[in-house]
Amino acid sequence: MPLDAICLQAVVQELKPLLTGQRIDKVQMPARDQAVLTLRAGRLLLNAGAGAPRLQMTALTRENPAEPPMFCMLLRKHLVGARVMDITQPPLERLVRLELDSADDFGRPGHRTLVLEAMGRRSNLILLDEEGRIIDCLRRVDAEMSAARQVLPGLFYLPPASQGRLPVTEETEAGFQEKLSAAAPERQIDAFLLDSYFGISPLIARELAFLAAGETDARLFGLGPEGERRLWNELEKLVADIRENRFTPVGLKRNGEPLDFSYRPIRQYGDAVEQEVYDDFSALMDDFYAQRERRERLRQRGADLTRAASTARDRLRRKLAAQEKEYAQTQERDQLRLWGDLITANLYRMERGQRVLETENYYDPEGGMVKVPLDPLLTPQQNAAKYYKRYNKAKTAEKYLREQMSIARRDLEYLESVLEELERAETDQDFSDIREELRQAGFLRKQGKKQVSRPARPLEFRTSGGLRVLVGRSNRQNDRLTHDADRRDLWLHTQKIHGAHVILCTGGREVDAASLEEAAGLAAWYSQAKSSANVPVDCTAVKNVKKPAGSRPGMVTYTNFRTLYVTPEEDLVRRLRT
């Protein structure tokens, strides 16, 4: 579920004693809608994204863009050096205020407030001055976007309007019975709760219905007096937990994949879902959102690159198919020369306007007859010249087509490797490297303004034997990695399968079998065969790997190799990652 108001309350209560009095040392924005404040207690993530707005401490490292956004520069100016004095949340609102004591450029004390509105697609991050005026915000809202509430620099900050429903913490038994009596009997219990109370999420509404009636989609008429009493008792327990801040971070997983999370155990799924209790909500949300954020980042950043590479690949396939068809036609050119020779040999008996020449095939040992098609508008000499010209054209085209088909196959293989890179890309810098790679290869247009880029580092691992393993993230990085490696190191790559170049740093020492197999496992995982078993991985010394002149990035040849067969495992990758 998205972070609802009650879960946000649990997070605020968890963070308040941890962050109060802490000094902000750094401000970063790894993504357009994420801000990370670095304090001595750790990194505080404020996410104002529409899909996952939240507040939490995070242990995940996020790569920052080469050029920080303007809003990030503004936050750095006002917040670096400030101290967190309080973290507050209006009752059952998806809004958090960080009260900060700061100082201006002249050392005069001041006050700033950073507001996180975690409200789905209307989420925002807003910086206020000591008077409550908006200094700036992540998303500006003008009168055209909202006539009721504008969020613009210089305006006094006004919190979002109330939902108009009764907060669940203010309900009484008499009020509950009154609402129940006025509700339509055929209405579902969870819909009744959502319409009647502010602060309950759909997941909790279904859970209360399940606890009261045994089914998540039960209707009010099926409750009866006992069911109504159970529903009120469950609602009363929920209210007591909220008032006394009794929360349990619970993650819901299906087949090991994160499904949902809550602030209390969930029984409605039965044995179909595994439940895991975490030490704190921050660890819970790190685990839940890590894979989701990666998929979303891949979708957003990789969509245009994937589309460009796929379009170029499909165009090359069509071009190659046409070239192969044309090449096959050039293999029939000897017949063209034969017809020209036969016309030349029979000029004395031919007339202009003739459509077919029937003559003996002098080149056939059996002396069979052959019919040569003629153009009646041409003289016999011109018909012979036309066949000789077509023969010479086909002879020249064969050499040209062979070269072009070789280039097309090379480019096709290269684009397949780029698409495989995009599936493995994890950071913004990975996408920037791939984008620049496609530009240099001529598959993307070059932009007028030069993009600021810093060299990305390869993925680094450590085997159980203590040896470093480096894994390339892109074709250009694969080239650099192999070129810069010690010639005594070992180079690994999946056999005839697109994947990353892997370097096992040996320093000339003997490699233990376990380290070699682990490095081969990494090569298999970072390839197109990551979901397969018994993947062939070739291994050789770096000195045996050569890059052909003029070849595309990432393309190499190698000799004196041996092949290992391994099955990729995600647990191995996590265990060896440094």
Side-chain angles (χ1 to χ4, degrees):
M1 68 175 183
L3 188 70
D4 67 3
I6 301 175
C7 200
L8 186 59
Q9 176 181 327
V11 175
V12 169
Q13 294 302 316
E14 180 179 277
L15 295 182
K16 184 176 290 190
L18 183 68
L19 299 182
T20 302
Q22 291 279 312
R23 180 179 182 273
I24 298 174
D25 296 323
K26 283 184 183 179
V27 177
Q28 297 167 315
M29 287 189 67
R32 184 179 60 86
D33 48 17
Q34 292 181 358
V36 177
L37 311 182
T38 302
L39 309 98
R40 181 174 296 181
R43 293 192 299 274
L44 177 65
L45 171 68
L46 299 101
N47 190 321
R54 65 192 187 277
L55 172 81
Q56 64 164 108
M57 300 301 292
T58 181
L60 300 178
T61 55
R62 293 170 171 83
E63 189 144 341
N64 296 292
E67 287 187 354
M70 291 299 295
F71 189 61
C72 179
M73 300 297 291
L74 179 79
L75 291 180
R76 288 177 179 175
K77 175 184 176 181
H78 289 274
L79 301 188
V80 171
R83 290 190 181 275
V84 180
M85 302 313 296
D86 198 7
I87 304 178
T88 61
Q89 176 198 15
L92 295 186
E93 292 283 355
R94 288 182 293 170
L95 184 150
V96 178
R97 296 171 60 103
L98 271 72
E99 304 296 342
L100 308 163
D101 278 353
S102 61
D104 61 16
D105 295 337
F106 300 100
R108 292 175 297 198
H111 187 82
R112 295 290 181 266
T113 303
L114 188 60
V115 181
L116 172 66
E117 296 180 352
M119 300 176 179
R121 62 185 181 86
R122 295 183 290 113
S123 297
N124 210 340
L125 195 60
I126 306 167
L127 182 64
L128 311 179
D129 63 14
E130 56 269 8
E131 297 179 352
R133 290 183 183 271
I134 299 173
I135 298 174
D136 208 344
C137 52
L138 193 63
R139 293 182 179 87
R140 297 184 179 183
V141 181
D142 57 23
E144 291 184 1
M145 300 171 66
S146 174
R149 177 176 179 256
Q150 288 82 52
V151 184
L152 294 169
L155 299 181
F156 281 104
Y157 174 74
L158 297 174
S162 174
Q163 297 290 321
R165 289 172 291 166
L166 180 71
V168 67
T169 52
E170 297 180 13
E171 184 57 293
T172 63
E173 185 172 3
F176 171 76
Q177 290 296 339
E178 183 180 346
K179 291 182 179 63
L180 204 58
S181 301
E186 66 275 8
R187 209 159 159 67
Q188 287 193 186
I189 299 173
D190 60 332
F192 162 74
L193 293 171
L194 289 172
D195 289 344
S196 301
Y197 301 111
F198 178 62
I200 296 181
S201 67
L203 174 68
I204 298 303
R206 292 195 304 271
E207 181 68 12
L208 294 176
F210 176 80
L211 295 174
E215 296 177 349
T216 57
D217 57 354
R219 300 183 184 274
L220 293 175
F221 65 75
L223 279 174
E226 284 298 322
E228 292 178 3
R229 191 176 301 107
R230 286 195 299 270
L231 182 60
W232 167 248
N233 289 338
E234 294 298 336
L235 191 63
E236 199 174 29
K237 289 178 185 176
L238 173 66
V239 171
D241 289 341
I242 297 171
R243 288 173 175 169
E244 298 174 18
N245 290 317
R246 290 198 301 260
F247 303 113
T248 304
V250 176
L252 308 178
K253 297 184 178 182
R254 179 177 288 150
N255 299 325
E257 293 293 322
L259 174 68
D260 214 331
F261 66 88
S262 180
Y263 47 84
R264 56 180 291 173
I266 301 297
R267 293 168 53 186
Q268 60 187 273
Y269 297 110
D271 296 333
V273 168
E274 309 99 50
Q275 300 196 43
E276 181 179 351
V277 177
Y278 287 77
D279 294 334
D280 52 61
F281 282 94
S282 294
L284 165 62
M285 287 188 282
D286 260 357
D287 192 21
F288 180 82
Y289 285 110
Q291 297 183 36
R292 182 173 168 180
E293 278 187 355
R294 181 177 179 275
R295 286 194 298 267
E296 182 65 17
R297 187 166 57 249
L298 292 181
R299 187 187 67 79
Q300 291 179 349
R301 293 299 310 274
D304 60 328
L305 296 177
T306 301
R307 183 167 54 251
S310 298
T311 301
R313 178 198 61 188
D314 296 341
R315 186 166 55 243
L316 269 175
R317 283 177 175 171
R318 293 192 295 269
K319 180 180 178 182
L320 185 58
Q323 289 174 339
E324 289 173 341
K325 182 179 179 180
E326 191 176 351
Y327 182 81
Q329 293 174 351
T330 66
Q331 302 307 298
E332 302 172 359
R333 65 181 182 275
D334 287 341
Q335 186 183 48
L336 300 174
R337 186 179 65 178
L338 171 64
W339 287 352
D341 289 345
L342 292 176
I343 293 173
T344 302
N346 288 277
L347 287 175
Y348 67 94
R349 52 189 287 260
M350 294 176 62
E351 296 179 359
R352 183 166 186 162
Q354 198 171 335
R355 291 181 179 278
V356 178
L357 170 64
E358 291 191 31
T359 182
E360 183 181 358
N361 187 355
Y362 306 116
Y363 297 93
D364 188 350
E366 299 180 2
M369 298 297 291
V370 64
K371 292 183 179 181
V372 181
L374 300 174
D375 186 341
L377 300 178
L378 301 178
T379 65
Q381 292 86 347
Q382 288 173 331
N383 270 294
K386 183 184 76 169
Y387 280 120
Y388 285 137
K389 183 178 180 180
R390 287 175 58 188
Y391 168 76
N392 288 324
K393 184 178 179 181
K395 186 177 179 180
T396 303
E398 180 187 28
K399 179 182 178 182
Y400 172 79
L401 286 170
R402 193 183 296 119
E403 293 174 353
Q404 292 302 307
M405 287 163 59
S406 175
I407 293 172
R409 291 192 183 100
R410 180 201 68 182
D411 289 347
L412 194 59
E413 184 179 359
Y414 167 71
L415 288 171
E416 291 285 0
S417 72
V418 170
L419 288 169
E420 190 272 332
E421 285 177 29
L422 287 168
E423 291 182 2
R424 291 189 285 111
E426 295 180 351
T427 66
D428 289 344
Q429 189 59 44
D430 291 343
F431 290 111
S432 297
D433 284 351
I434 296 171
R435 188 182 299 276
E436 183 61 29
E437 183 182 322
L438 286 172
R439 282 201 192 99
Q440 292 186 2
F443 293 108
L444 281 181
R445 292 181 181 179
K446 293 184 178 180
Q447 297 178 340
K449 181 181 177 181
K450 187 174 180 181
Q451 298 294 311
V452 177
S453 180
R454 56 188 178 198
R457 292 183 297 177
L459 298 174
E460 186 168 340
F461 300 85
R462 186 77 62 175
T463 69
S464 56
L467 299 179
R468 286 177 72 218
V469 181
L470 303 177
V471 178
R473 298 177 184 231
S474 65
N475 283 320
R476 290 201 305 165
Q477 193 177 90
N478 285 336
D479 282 349
R480 291 195 301 269
L481 187 63
T482 303
H483 179 270
D484 297 341
D486 190 309
R487 63 195 307 271
R488 298 169 298 175
D489 291 342
L490 294 181
W491 179 90
L492 300 97
H493 195 282
T494 45
Q495 187 181 88
K496 299 180 181 178
I497 301 172
H498 293 299
H501 292 204
V502 175
I503 301 296
L504 177 58
C505 303
T506 66
R509 292 175 292 170
E510 190 71 24
V511 179
D512 60 284
S515 293
L516 185 60
E517 186 170 351
E518 289 167 351
L522 293 173
W525 178 262
Y526 290 99
S527 76
Q528 285 183 329
K530 66 180 295 183
S531 300
S532 305
N534 293 323
V535 178
V537 177
D538 291 339
C539 174
T540 185
V542 171
K543 64 181 180 181
N544 298 324
V545 181
K546 308 296 180 186
K547 183 170 183 61
S551 62
R552 290 291 191 190
M555 304 301 175
V556 296
T557 60
Y558 54 94
T559 56
N560 301 331
F561 62 91
R562 59 169 167 156
T563 304
L564 296 85
Y565 292 87
V566 294
T567 299
E569 296 178 358
E570 187 174 6
D571 288 343
L572 173 71
V573 179
R574 291 177 177 174
R575 179 164 50 87
L576 301 184
R577 187 77 177 261
T578 58

